[in-house]
Amino acid sequence: LAEAQAKIPKIDQTRTLTFGPVNKKEYLPDGTIFDGGAGVRWGNRAAGLYRFRFHVKGVANEKGDLPMIAVELGASARRPVVTADLSSAFQTIEAEVFAEASSGLSIGVAAMGNRFFTKKREGGTPRIQIQWVEIEGPINAQWPSRAWHGYFAGVPTDDAGARAILSRFAEHAFRRPPEPSRIDQFFAFYQGRRAAGDEFETAVKHAMQGILAAPEFVFMIESKTGSEGKRQPLDDFEVASRLSYFLWSGPPDEDLYALAKAGKLRQPGVLVQQARRMMQHPRAARFAENFTGQWLKLRTLGQMVPDSKKYVEWEDTLQDSMRKETELFFLHILQKDLPIAQFIDSDFAMLNGRLAYFYDIDGVKGYEFRPVALNGHKQRGGLLGQASIQTLTSDGIRTSPVKRGAFILENLLGDPPPPPPADVPPVKETTGATLRERIASHRSMPACAGCHVKMDPLGFALENFNAIGKWRDKEEDTKLPVDPSGELVDGRKFAGFAEFKQLLLSRRDDVARCLGEKLLLYALGRPLDFADRPVINDVVQKTKADGDKLSSMILAIVGSEPFLTK
């Protein structure tokens, strides 16, 4: 027995892959077909950059629907690795991602919309076939790393070299040349680490950590000089930082920083040219993501998870597609120099195959987003036709005309309602009554009537969209017809969503003012007050004179007095 055991090859279990738990459906010579997906685990490993390769193909359902592969890293707090469309032929999909050090980390592989297709029984479930999976890492494309070459390569390993490294690193971190006295502090820390026995690189890296904990790195510090009570102009470095964090949510790039260092950024035309360049840069996607997250409360999407038993279409891929639609819609309007009125009504939508399927729009396949002409689906034009907005203004079970009306007042018309009284009872559940009839009880209360008469008609205009944004003609619970008609406080009436959007377009100046306020607040990072009203007026007028374009409004804000002063 001992002799037989000695012949068994020893396998390093930390370097093997195991599948499970899985739904195994078919085992074929060219791979295993999975119905709902699979988990891949590998043993103890170091943190670092890993390269993942999946050799897979899609297996269509009876209707010919092909899936996508959505790979995530982690167990509870999952992070996406790759999402890609699959064809009926094998293909190798590759991605690189940084993975933390842990044991038994899993990768989930699933086809798009599996749960939806399974519940609806529409042609069966598309599946994926995995021939092999390969994980490589931790890897370094260059060793020593590019960062090491940028700071340590060719620098003498003495005190002069350490000071040079810390000065260059602090300039990048602080987004401006640091004061010599500040470098003295970090250099003294380096010397203390050397005296304690640290090697040169170790001591310098400890000092670098101190720089990254400094207020100049963590915060945008704008020093004030001159007369108290008077606003002072920003210097070029401060303008560069304010502009880059506004439009990129990150530090200046080399071009912007070079102009600031040369003292040219505030020259006539240079700031405008840089702002235009930055709006067209891929990093502007961060602006679209963060600003829509703040302005439209898009960050709250998914916090009130819809009831998946009632809304069988709901699944993670649909939620992600909803959020992406709104972000890319904003980015498209920005980069194509489109007018602000497109936020109210547009003849296009940013769709991928999953969202188009949900909207019942034919001819759109795949996970990638693209602008799609709406033609006979005009109800989807503009922000209010997007499922993300309709979902985050519902409670996960049913629609909420009150929340939707308040959302329109606050985020599109700039007229937010006051908070409700503390002692207002909830809407009563009444069998056989429509939501409009049940909410009418609130409108009859004197403490509530003033706000409800403003909010409710706006919210009821969206009643054709259910709690996750699906178009409907009848309420799910009562099966009674939806009534999307209403009357605004100024006496104007509308019969449905299309007429309501036309009424909103007649208030495009209010929409522009509201958007201008939201953008200026975001750009300055502070609440606005009465002293900012003339600035908002000027921004709106300049925007209107230049075609009411979103890009024009941003340029007007970048050139405004509050943006360029402290």
Side-chain angles (χ1 to χ4, degrees), residues 47-90:
L49 186 68
Y50 282 78
R51 183 175 295 118
F52 302 92
R53 298 184 186 91
F54 307 91
H55 197 61
V56 295
K57 72 176 183 179
V59 181
N61 63 6
E62 295 172 6
K63 292 178 61 179
D65 297 313
L66 281 165
M68 71 173 196
I69 183 171
V71 183
E72 294 178 329
L73 191 63
S76 55
R78 296 190 174 186
R79 294 166 47 223
V81 174
V82 66
T83 302
D85 300 313
L86 295 181
S87 68
S88 57
F90 275 110

XYZ file of all heavy atoms in Angstrom, residues 47-90:
332
model
N -2.736 38.342 -3.204
C -3.441 39.429 -3.876
C -2.625 39.889 -5.070
O -1.397 39.814 -5.084
C -3.654 40.592 -2.914
N -3.321 40.336 -6.084
C -2.617 40.823 -7.261
C -3.502 40.831 -8.485
O -4.705 40.571 -8.422
N -2.881 41.137 -9.606
C -3.589 41.177 -10.875
C -3.677 39.765 -11.441
O -2.672 39.066 -11.545
C -2.857 42.100 -11.862
C -3.551 42.368 -13.187
C -4.813 43.192 -12.976
C -2.600 43.095 -14.141
N -4.895 39.359 -11.825
C -5.102 38.023 -12.379
C -5.697 38.132 -13.778
O -6.485 39.041 -14.078
C -6.044 37.207 -11.493
C -5.370 36.653 -10.262
C -5.126 37.472 -9.153
C -4.950 35.337 -10.202
C -4.498 36.984 -8.024
C -4.315 34.826 -9.071
C -4.095 35.654 -7.993
O -3.457 35.159 -6.876
N -5.309 37.200 -14.627
C -5.846 37.134 -15.983
C -6.753 35.905 -16.074
O -6.367 34.790 -15.743
C -4.716 37.042 -17.009
C -5.198 37.048 -18.449
C -4.027 37.072 -19.429
N -3.263 38.315 -19.319
C -1.982 38.363 -18.971
N -1.329 37.247 -18.694
N -1.350 39.524 -18.901
N -8.005 36.140 -16.507
C -8.991 35.080 -16.625
C -9.281 34.831 -18.098
O -9.480 35.776 -18.864
C -10.285 35.467 -15.907
C -10.090 35.778 -14.449
C -9.838 37.079 -14.025
C -10.165 34.770 -13.505
C -9.658 37.366 -12.683
C -9.996 35.053 -12.159
C -9.732 36.348 -11.740
N -9.341 33.566 -18.477
C -9.704 33.199 -19.847
C -10.810 32.143 -19.780
O -10.708 31.168 -19.037
C -8.506 32.645 -20.614
C -7.355 33.632 -20.794
C -6.254 33.025 -21.663
N -5.088 33.897 -21.737
C -4.056 33.824 -20.900
N -4.062 32.911 -19.938
N -3.032 34.642 -21.024
N -11.853 32.365 -20.566
C -12.982 31.452 -20.624
C -13.193 31.068 -22.086
O -13.406 31.944 -22.932
C -14.247 32.104 -20.073
C -14.073 32.685 -18.705
C -13.674 34.011 -18.536
C -14.296 31.916 -17.576
C -13.501 34.548 -17.279
C -14.130 32.450 -16.313
C -13.731 33.767 -16.159
N -13.140 29.778 -22.373
C -13.408 29.299 -23.730
C -14.840 28.779 -23.728
O -15.130 27.679 -23.235
C -12.421 28.199 -24.124
C -12.360 27.956 -25.605
N -11.987 28.927 -26.501
C -12.659 26.855 -26.348
C -12.029 28.443 -27.729
N -12.447 27.182 -27.666
N -15.754 29.567 -24.263
C -17.185 29.294 -24.109
C -17.929 29.587 -25.411
O -17.418 30.264 -26.312
C -17.798 30.158 -22.987
C -17.229 29.798 -21.638
C -17.579 31.648 -23.270
N -19.159 29.095 -25.459
C -20.066 29.462 -26.537
C -21.479 29.486 -25.977
O -21.757 28.930 -24.897
C -19.971 28.503 -27.712
C -20.573 27.126 -27.482
C -20.512 26.291 -28.757
C -21.176 24.929 -28.569
N -21.145 24.132 -29.810
N -22.389 30.111 -26.692
C -23.772 30.152 -26.272
C -24.562 29.011 -26.891
O -24.280 28.567 -28.003
N -25.544 28.546 -26.141
C -26.468 27.522 -26.640
C -27.848 28.163 -26.661
O -28.424 28.476 -25.609
C -26.465 26.267 -25.742
C -27.420 25.214 -26.296
C -25.054 25.711 -25.620
N -28.380 28.410 -27.855
C -29.628 29.153 -28.009
C -30.831 28.359 -27.498
O -30.821 27.123 -27.463
C -29.841 29.527 -29.474
N -31.878 29.112 -27.105
C -33.132 28.448 -26.755
C -33.948 28.199 -28.022
O -33.468 28.417 -29.146
C -33.916 29.273 -25.731
C -34.329 30.633 -26.271
O -34.140 30.940 -27.452
N -34.912 31.457 -25.418
N -35.202 27.773 -27.864
C -36.018 27.412 -29.012
C -36.305 28.603 -29.915
O -36.553 28.441 -31.114
C -37.332 26.797 -28.524
C -37.148 25.472 -27.784
C -38.430 24.977 -27.146
O -39.472 25.625 -27.393
O -38.399 23.976 -26.424
N -36.295 29.799 -29.358
C -36.557 30.999 -30.154
C -35.299 31.537 -30.820
O -35.350 32.510 -31.562
C -37.169 32.094 -29.268
C -38.572 31.805 -28.775
C -39.073 32.927 -27.878
C -39.116 34.248 -28.631
N -39.624 35.347 -27.780
N -34.168 30.934 -30.525
C -32.909 31.398 -31.101
C -32.203 32.443 -30.277
O -31.211 33.032 -30.727
N -32.685 32.720 -29.048
C -32.035 33.699 -28.183
C -30.705 33.152 -27.689
O -30.654 32.050 -27.130
C -32.919 34.026 -26.971
C -34.229 34.680 -27.377
O -34.179 35.613 -28.185
O -35.285 34.248 -26.879
N -29.639 33.906 -27.882
C -28.324 33.526 -27.375
C -28.028 34.299 -26.090
O -28.440 35.453 -25.941
C -27.251 33.822 -28.417
C -27.139 32.791 -29.545
C -26.317 33.349 -30.693
C -26.514 31.495 -29.023
N -27.318 33.686 -25.153
C -27.051 34.351 -23.881
C -25.799 35.210 -23.945
O -25.121 35.304 -24.968
C -26.841 33.178 -22.929
C -26.170 32.161 -23.807
C -26.791 32.317 -25.180
N -25.516 35.820 -22.814
C -24.230 36.471 -22.612
C -23.567 35.787 -21.421
O -24.206 35.017 -20.707
C -24.399 37.957 -22.321
C -24.973 38.252 -20.969
S -24.971 40.010 -20.609
C -25.235 39.965 -18.841
N -22.308 36.052 -21.230
C -21.603 35.541 -20.061
C -21.317 36.726 -19.153
O -20.860 37.779 -19.607
C -20.299 34.803 -20.450
C -19.619 34.223 -19.213
C -19.363 35.700 -21.245
C -18.454 33.306 -19.528
N -21.667 36.587 -17.890
C -21.437 37.641 -16.895
C -20.635 37.035 -15.758
O -21.163 36.227 -14.986
C -22.756 38.209 -16.394
N -19.381 37.385 -15.652
C -18.483 36.787 -14.670
C -18.254 37.785 -13.542
O -17.973 38.958 -13.782
C -17.129 36.410 -15.313
C -16.234 35.723 -14.299
C -17.354 35.520 -16.517
N -18.401 37.322 -12.315
C -18.202 38.166 -11.144
C -17.176 37.534 -10.221
O -17.021 36.303 -10.197
C -19.524 38.374 -10.401
C -20.543 39.170 -11.210
C -21.849 39.322 -10.472
O -22.199 38.408 -9.703
O -22.524 40.348 -10.662
N -16.525 38.346 -9.447
C -15.457 37.900 -8.553
C -15.903 38.148 -7.119
O -16.317 39.265 -6.786
C -14.175 38.674 -8.857
C -12.874 38.209 -8.221
C -12.506 36.827 -8.699
C -11.761 39.183 -8.550
N -15.854 37.138 -6.286
C -16.194 37.335 -4.891
C -17.431 36.573 -4.502
O -18.146 36.010 -5.343
N -17.734 36.578 -3.214
C -18.878 35.834 -2.704
C -20.023 36.779 -2.373
O -21.023 36.833 -3.065
C -18.466 35.034 -1.478
N -19.889 37.587 -1.309
C -20.976 38.483 -0.906
C -20.915 39.801 -1.678
O -21.838 40.158 -2.385
C -20.912 38.737 0.597
O -19.628 39.226 0.966
N -19.795 40.519 -1.554
C -19.631 41.769 -2.297
C -18.978 41.459 -3.633
O -17.760 41.438 -3.769
C -18.782 42.760 -1.492
N -19.772 41.201 -4.637
C -19.245 40.757 -5.924
C -18.802 41.930 -6.787
O -19.394 42.996 -6.764
C -20.297 39.940 -6.656
C -20.654 38.649 -5.929
C -21.499 37.748 -6.796
N -21.736 36.462 -6.161
C -22.347 35.460 -6.748
N -22.793 35.587 -7.978
N -22.525 34.325 -6.113
N -17.750 41.651 -7.555
C -17.228 42.649 -8.480
C -17.217 42.047 -9.870
O -16.832 40.906 -10.061
C -15.802 43.052 -8.083
C -15.723 43.777 -6.762
C -14.297 43.838 -6.259
N -13.377 44.256 -7.291
C -12.195 43.685 -7.493
N -11.827 42.669 -6.762
N -11.390 44.131 -8.430
N -17.637 42.825 -10.882
C -17.662 42.276 -12.245
C -16.260 42.064 -12.792
O -15.356 42.866 -12.567
C -18.411 43.348 -13.034
C -18.221 44.606 -12.251
C -18.147 44.200 -10.817
N -16.081 40.972 -13.495
C -14.838 40.685 -14.195
C -14.995 40.975 -15.680
O -14.210 41.707 -16.273
C -14.411 39.212 -13.977
C -13.195 38.856 -14.821
C -14.107 38.963 -12.507
N -16.033 40.416 -16.278
C -16.275 40.637 -17.700
C -17.738 40.334 -18.004
O -18.345 39.464 -17.378
C -15.331 39.769 -18.576
C -15.642 38.303 -18.403
C -15.433 40.145 -20.042
N -18.304 41.059 -18.929
C -19.632 40.777 -19.459
C -19.517 40.842 -20.975
O -19.034 41.838 -21.514
C -20.672 41.788 -18.969
O -20.704 41.773 -17.542
C -22.050 41.455 -19.500
N -19.945 39.796 -21.652
C -19.764 39.759 -23.103
C -20.854 38.920 -23.743
O -21.380 37.987 -23.141
C -18.387 39.192 -23.461
N -21.198 39.269 -24.980
C -22.156 38.502 -25.752
C -21.509 37.201 -26.246
O -20.319 37.165 -26.549
C -22.639 39.321 -26.956
C -23.321 40.608 -26.529
O -24.167 40.530 -25.629
O -22.998 41.672 -27.080
N -22.290 36.166 -26.321
C -21.813 34.884 -26.828
C -22.434 34.580 -28.181
O -23.562 34.988 -28.472
C -22.159 33.758 -25.848
C -21.481 33.812 -24.478
C -21.901 32.622 -23.637
C -19.970 33.860 -24.612
N -21.695 33.863 -29.003
C -22.207 33.383 -30.278
C -22.355 31.873 -30.192
O -22.068 31.261 -29.164
C -21.251 33.768 -31.413
O -20.029 33.053 -31.285
N -22.792 31.268 -31.276
C -22.967 29.811 -31.283
C -21.652 29.073 -31.530
O -21.625 27.846 -31.562
C -23.989 29.417 -32.356
O -23.571 29.890 -33.627
N -20.570 29.807 -31.728
C -19.245 29.205 -31.910
C -18.384 29.489 -30.684
O -18.529 30.522 -30.019
C -18.568 29.771 -33.162
N -17.467 28.575 -30.372
C -16.585 28.778 -29.225
C -15.722 30.017 -29.430
O -15.232 30.289 -30.530
C -15.687 27.555 -29.012
C -16.326 26.476 -28.209
C -16.694 25.275 -28.809
C -16.568 26.649 -26.855
C -17.286 24.267 -28.061
C -17.157 25.646 -26.098
C -17.526 24.452 -26.708
